[in-house]
Every structure is written in structure tokens, then in C-alpha cells.
Amino acid sequence: MSRIALAVVTVVLLAAIPGYLSDYSLGLMIGLVTYVTLASAWALFSGHTRYVSLATVAFYGSGAYTVAVLNESLPYPLVLLCAGLIGFLLALIVGLSTLRLAGIYFVIFSFGLAELIRQLITWYEVNVTGTLGRYIFLDVTARGIYWQMLALAVFTIGLSAWIGRHRLGLALKVIGDDEMVAAHSGIDLSRTKLIAFTLSSTIITLAGAIASPRWTYVEPSLVFNPTVSFLTVIMALLGGANRLWGPLMGAVPLFLLFEWLSVSFPDTYPVILGLMFIAVVFLFPQGLLSSAEAFRNRLKGGTA
Amino acid sequence: MTMLHVTRARKSFGGLVAVNDVSFDVAGGEILGLLGPNGSGKTTLLNLISGALAPTAGRFVLNGQDMTGQRADIIARQGIARTFQLVRILPSLTLLENVMVPAAFGPARLWGEAVVSVAREALEQVGLSDRLSATAGDLTYLDQKRLELARALAARPRLLLLDEWLAGLNPTELRDGIALIQSLSTTGITIIMVEHIMEAVRALCPRCLVMNSGTLIADGPTQAVLSDRHVIAAYLGEVEHA
Ligand SMILES: Nc1ncnc2c1ncn2[C@@H]1O[C@H](COP(=O)(O)OP(=O)(O)OP(=O)(O)O)[C@@H](O)[C@H]1O
Ligand SMILES: [Mg+2]
């Protein structure tokens, strides 16, 4: 009970913050909460199943681009609804066609997906609509974006907690450990993976839609930037993607670090990012926290 | 009453026919031994029954229901559970969680307190109930085998497939293992067990099937089968020379 109370107080405090922040700090907070949402939503599917998805920006970008296309013709709540729906359908199609792929093939496909969608949209805009680049004119304030993103983050972590206590959570864990055993225990592999992937991807799409007014000017190469996918994976894995609070624990420090790096070392930043990705995937696939705990246990075991 | 009805089951891997038109019936409550030299197709036959592999041809009927070519999870929900020759536990889950899985997703689809009590009971049956929250990956090989059996039992299966579950046990453990399977048989469960240990086969299985190079070469009362000329030539001869 006290944990829930603590969470409620924290959320209320976070919701009250914008009034005390400069524009720059508020922008930083929006980015921070966005990555908490992305990393938590990513972990909802990939954390337990261990299917490393690099498709984050495919959905995030689709959300943003949907807003860019629809913002002048529909009221904002309907635009968000459409973005969510598009994310849902896209996830369903992608999930049905790829979730049978094993490990590395899934990683490669998920990475290619963002590029595929970017190229398709570019082709369509150039050849059919004749406009490459769109403007987002919405009277959504920075505070409005912050509050919406905060709500989405809370929803995502709440949903993860709920899943963790239900059948779906257990099924995902079993799939992550051994798909053969999962199937022989009566778990419908495709359905379980599809549900988790669709939930995760729809949330990521909504995050893209909510964040999009920050851009004002949108074009495919801007919103389908693969860095978003890599950052999300690094944050979630480093914090511990199979723990409820792991993605958040990874996202907060790493977002600030990357923000600082990208300003201080704009040229070497991509290289640093790549090296970190490799290091995290190979050295700490279970997360820094778990690795530290295992190390501590081993030390304890050794001295006992 | 016939529990499982297998008709001309066949599985080929490229040119190799691992299971070659095998037909047999298993009655409810029966404990059936499945014997044969290495590579004779025993595991492949179990894989066909459990749905781990799709058959090239043949028909599988469980309790009057045609299961041919069904997915493993559907077959599991119809009441077939198994252990694997190379033990497969869920290493990152606790013992209790491991065993909860088939109770939650198997035929009974339990949840809440019911799933926990079924899981505890199954762990008790194999003597692991004192370590419910230990991580399965930390268990010794023998305990992993026990855990795997507990997991199969927690499904409350009608048909249990054991693939050399007694292999690798020392004489004391073997005696306990045989007693454990014997105690299961009194519950009315049907078992097909692949086994190389003759002592166990004689103690547990009134009836045996023998395979050789994918073909069923004998099916009958254990004593008669083990003294069959073809069986001795194909199987026992090899063991004695080994
Ligand atoms: N997935 C597979 N792909 C190709 N060949 C296979 C496959 N599984 C089994 N085989 C082959 O089929 C034959 C039968 O193998 P199987 O594992 O069923 O034998 P077994 O009777 O269980 O042997 P053992 O006593 O050693 O466990 C072997 O020649 C094996 O190499
Ligand atoms: Mg075998």
C-alpha cells in the first residue's frame, strides 16, 4: 500500500513541476519522460521474451507522422485516436509476419522496418502528394505535451505491473526462457507474443504522436531517426528490461548523459552510442542492476 | 478403453526415415515401455505424439479426438505432458513458477490460489517442496530432472511421456525414481516411457514396444518381448556388447 502511495505522491509532484521550470528545463523533462515511456513500453514486449526489437522508431515515427498528416483536418483527440489505431494495425501486421522469426532475424527485420516505412512514406509524398515535409500547427503547449506524456508513462508502467501479476506476464517469462517448454505447457506462442508486441507498439506510436508538436516541421528522415531505437534498447537493457522499474532506472540517467554528450561531443556522439549499444547488449543483457546483484551474491557466497 | 491410437506414424528428415509407419494403441491407465537402440526413433516418436514435430504421415487420436498435426500447445491442453531427454527447465524462474506454468496454461487453466496449491502438491510429490522460491537454474542435474517431472505432473495429464527420465541416476536414486513412477500409476495416469534401464522397465512396464531403425519390431508383454529373437538381435545384443 505504501508503495502505491509513494508512486501517487511522485506522480502528483511530477505533474506540478512545469510551473517551476524554464522552457529549456521543461523541454528536457519532456524528453526524459518520453524515453521513460519508450523504454518501459519496449520492455513490455522485449524484456521478458528477449526478442530485441529495433522497431521502436518505426512506431514512434509513424505516430509523429500521422499527426503531421492529420493535424489540420481533424480535432486533436481524434488525431491521437487515429495514431493509436494506425500503431495498433501496423503492430498486428508486423507481429503476424515476424514473430515466428528467431532471435537475430527478428532484430534485423525490426531494424529494417523503420527504414522501410520511411522509404514508403517518402516515395508516397514525392510521387503522389508532391510534398516532402509537413508542418504541425497545434495549440498544444509544452506543458500539455508534458502532462500527456507523463500520463502515458504512468499508464505504461501500470500496465506492465498488471501484466506481471497475470497469466500474460508468466507466459512471456516462460517464452523468454524456453519456447519449446512454453508450447508444451499449453501456451499459445504466437498469440501471447502478438498481444504483448501490439500493446507495446501501440504505446510507442502514441508517444510519437504526443511528442510530435515539439517538432513543428516534420519530414520522414527527421522522425524515423534510428538513434531513437538504439537509445531505447540501451536504456531498457541497462536498467533491467525484465524488471518493472528497470527501464525507468536506465532511462533517467542515460537520457541526461546522452543529452550532455550530444551537446558536448556532437561529432563523436554517434560512435559513443554505437559502442555503448554493443557493450550493453553483450556485457549486461540482464541489466546493470541484475549483474551487480549477481556479483554481490557471488561475493557473499564466496565469503560465507 | 483406448487412450491413444497411433496409426502408421511416419517422420522423415530428408532421406532419413526416423519413424517408419509405426502403429500401436495405448489403453487408459497403462504404463508402456518404449525401447530400442540409440537412434532408433524413440524420441522422434514422442515428439510426434507431443506435437514438438509434425508427422510426415499418420494419424494420432487421443481419447477419440484426432490430434494429427496439431500444435504442441493444443495437444498439451488436451492432456498430454512430457519430460525431455535433455532436461529442459525454465532457468530464470523459481521452482514454484516453473511448476505453476502447466497448471496455469494446461488442461485445467487454473489461476490464483488454485494454481499455487497444484504446483506445491506436484513439487511435494517429487520431494522439492522445501525450496519453492529457489531459482531453477541453480538446481543440480538430478533436482532439475525432478523439477521437470513435477512440471509435467502439475498439468494433471491424462497421458505422460517420459524420455529416459531415469537415466543418470545412481542406484539409490533409481530405486526412489522407480517407486515414484509406481506411485503415479496408482492414480490411473497413462504413461509412455522411453527407457534403457531394464531393471526399471521390468519393474514398471507390463507391456513394451521395441523400435529399431524407425520400425516397430515388437509389441507385447515385457517378458515375452525381451526374449524375442529379433529384439535380442537388434537391441539387447548391442547393449551386452557395449
Ligand atoms: N530434428 C532432426 N533432424 C534431423 N534428424 C533427426 C532429428 N531428430 C532426430 N533425427 C534423427 O532421427 C534418428 C532417430 O533419432 P531419435 O532421437 O528419435 O532416436 P532415439 O531412439 O531417441 O535415440 P536415443 O536412444 O539416442 O535417444 C536419428 O538418426 C537422428 O539423428
Ligand atoms: Mg532419444
Side-chain angles (χ1 to χ4, degrees):
Chain A
M1 220 51 228
S2 64
R3 268 214 231 146
I4 295 177
L6 185 69
V8 170
V9 170
T10 310
V11 171
V12 169
L13 285 179
L14 282 173
I17 272 182
Y20 307 94
L21 293 180
S22 64
D23 284 353
Y24 172 76
S25 309
L26 183 56
L28 213 58
M29 282 305 286
I30 291 174
L32 186 69
V33 179
T34 303
Y35 273 103
V36 168
T37 310
L38 292 182
S40 300
W42 182 88
L44 190 92
F45 169 70
S46 298
H48 287 304
T49 61
R50 301 181 197 174
Y51 277 73
V52 172
S53 164
L54 287 174
T56 305
V57 85
F59 294 98
Y60 184 75
S62 298
Y65 210 82
T66 304
V67 177
V69 173
L70 296 179
N71 77 91
E72 283 172 289
S73 43
L74 284 178
Y76 181 65
L78 279 185
V79 175
L80 278 191
L81 191 71
C82 284
L85 216 64
I86 286 173
F88 175 79
L89 291 176
L90 189 62
L92 220 53
I93 296 167
V94 172
L96 282 172
S97 52
T98 63
L99 287 175
R100 286 166 193 279
L101 296 179
I104 189 71
Y105 298 103
F106 179 79
V107 179
I108 294 167
F109 181 90
S110 68
F111 181 69
L113 182 69
E115 190 60 18
L116 178 73
I117 293 177
R118 181 168 80 91
Q119 297 292 352
L120 278 177
I121 292 177
T122 306
W123 180 88
Y124 185 84
E125 295 283 47
V126 169
N127 292 291
V128 180
T129 60
T131 55
L132 192 60
R134 289 170 178 269
Y135 289 89
I136 298 180
F137 296 118
L138 282 170
D139 46 358
V140 184
T141 59
R143 284 184 195 194
I145 293 175
Y146 172 75
W147 281 322
Q148 289 175 56
M149 197 62 88
L150 185 62
L152 189 62
V154 170
F155 172 77
T156 308
I157 294 173
L159 181 66
S160 302
W162 186 87
I163 288 173
R165 295 160 173 274
H166 286 76
R167 267 207 178 80
L168 180 59
L170 182 60
L172 291 170
K173 271 201 216 175
V174 179
I175 288 176
D177 260 17
D178 191 331
E179 293 203 1
M180 176 84 111
V181 171
H184 279 84
S185 304
I187 294 173
D188 184 335
L189 299 180
S190 318
R191 186 163 156 268
T192 306
K193 286 188 275 186
L194 191 63
I195 291 173
F197 185 71
T198 308
L199 285 173
S200 158
S201 304
T202 307
I203 292 171
I204 291 172
T205 314
L206 279 175
I210 290 172
S212 65
R214 299 283 294 164
W215 268 301
T216 315
Y217 174 77
V218 162
E219 59 172 53
S221 59
L222 268 176
V223 294
F224 291 100
N225 178 356
T227 309
V228 175
S229 300
F230 285 102
L231 282 181
T232 303
V233 176
I234 296 174
M235 289 169 176
L237 284 185
L238 206 68
N242 54 2
R243 295 157 174 254
L244 180 60
W245 299 104
L248 179 138
M249 307 276 272
V252 173
L254 284 177
F255 175 78
L256 298 173
L257 175 70
F258 287 133
E259 215 32 49
W260 176 72
L261 284 176
S262 66
V263 173
S264 316
F265 308 99
D267 299 328
T268 41
Y269 170 67
V271 179
I272 299 174
L273 192 68
L275 289 177
M276 277 196 76
F277 180 77
I278 292 169
V280 165
V281 170
F282 284 103
L283 297 180
F284 304 107
Q286 298 298 320
L288 209 53
L289 277 177
S290 297
S291 301
E293 253 172 39
F295 185 65
R296 211 179 50 213
N297 285 343
R298 214 173 328 142
L299 285 186
K300 254 196 275 172
T303 53
Chain B
M1 201 205 84
T2 306
M3 154 89 40
L4 179 71
H5 199 69
V6 176
T7 323
R8 298 182 72 80
R10 187 181 185 83
K11 179 71 192 179
S12 25
F13 298 109
L16 175 82
V17 183
V19 174
N20 194 350
D21 294 344
V22 170
S23 303
F24 64 96
D25 286 351
V26 189
E30 201 173 5
I31 301 195
L32 182 64
L34 178 54
L35 315 181
N38 293 117
S40 56
K42 306 177 297 291
T43 297
T44 306
L45 182 57
L46 289 197
N47 283 339
L48 296 181
I49 298 173
S50 76
L53 294 172
T56 310
R59 236 163 76 86
F60 297 81
V61 178
L62 178 74
N63 272 313
Q65 255 194 329
D66 193 342
M67 314 286 289
T68 314
Q70 291 280 19
R71 289 200 318 258
D73 58 305
I74 294 176
I75 292 176
R77 289 200 290 275
Q78 293 295 328
I80 295 186
R82 72 173 291 179
T83 64
F84 295 88
Q85 185 169 352
L86 297 173
V87 65
R88 295 183 95 117
I89 47 145
L90 301 164
S92 76
L93 273 60
T94 65
L95 269 60
L96 190 67
E97 284 174 324
N98 257 271
V99 180
M100 278 166 62
V101 175
F105 300 98
R109 283 193 77 76
L110 305 170
W111 195 249
E113 275 173 31
V115 76
V116 175
S117 77
V118 167
R120 277 172 188 274
E121 215 174 281
L123 285 170
E124 221 156 273
Q125 266 181 295
V126 301
L128 281 176
S129 53
D130 52 338
R131 277 178 285 170
L132 299 180
S133 50
T135 305
D138 296 337
L139 293 181
T140 62
Y141 181 71
L142 174 65
D143 284 342
Q144 293 192 1
K145 288 210 121 181
R146 288 194 181 153
L147 177 63
E148 207 190 16
L149 180 62
R151 194 178 62 210
L153 292 175
R156 300 256 164 99
R158 294 193 277 195
L159 174 60
L160 175 63
L161 310 174
L162 300 178
D163 198 349
E164 300 194 27
W165 188 73
L166 293 166
L169 306 191
N170 69 35
T172 327
E173 293 160 354
L174 183 63
R175 218 174 320 126
D176 293 348
I178 291 174
L180 178 57
I181 298 176
Q182 217 136 32
S183 73
L184 295 179
S185 71
T186 59
T187 63
I189 192 173
T190 313
I191 302 178
I192 300 179
M193 49 188 288
V194 173
E195 200 48 69
H196 281 302
I197 302 169
M198 287 306 144
E199 181 193 344
V201 175
R202 287 203 176 90
L204 293 168
C205 312
R207 178 186 155 208
C208 277
L209 306 181
V210 184
M211 292 180 73
N212 189 26
S213 318
T215 317
L216 194 61
I217 58 167
D219 175 358
T222 301
Q223 205 51 52
V225 162
L226 292 184
S227 50
D228 183 285
R229 198 162 46 84
H230 300 289
V231 172
I232 293 169
Y235 179 57
L236 300 175
E238 183 199 78
V239 170
E240 270 159 23
H241 292 303

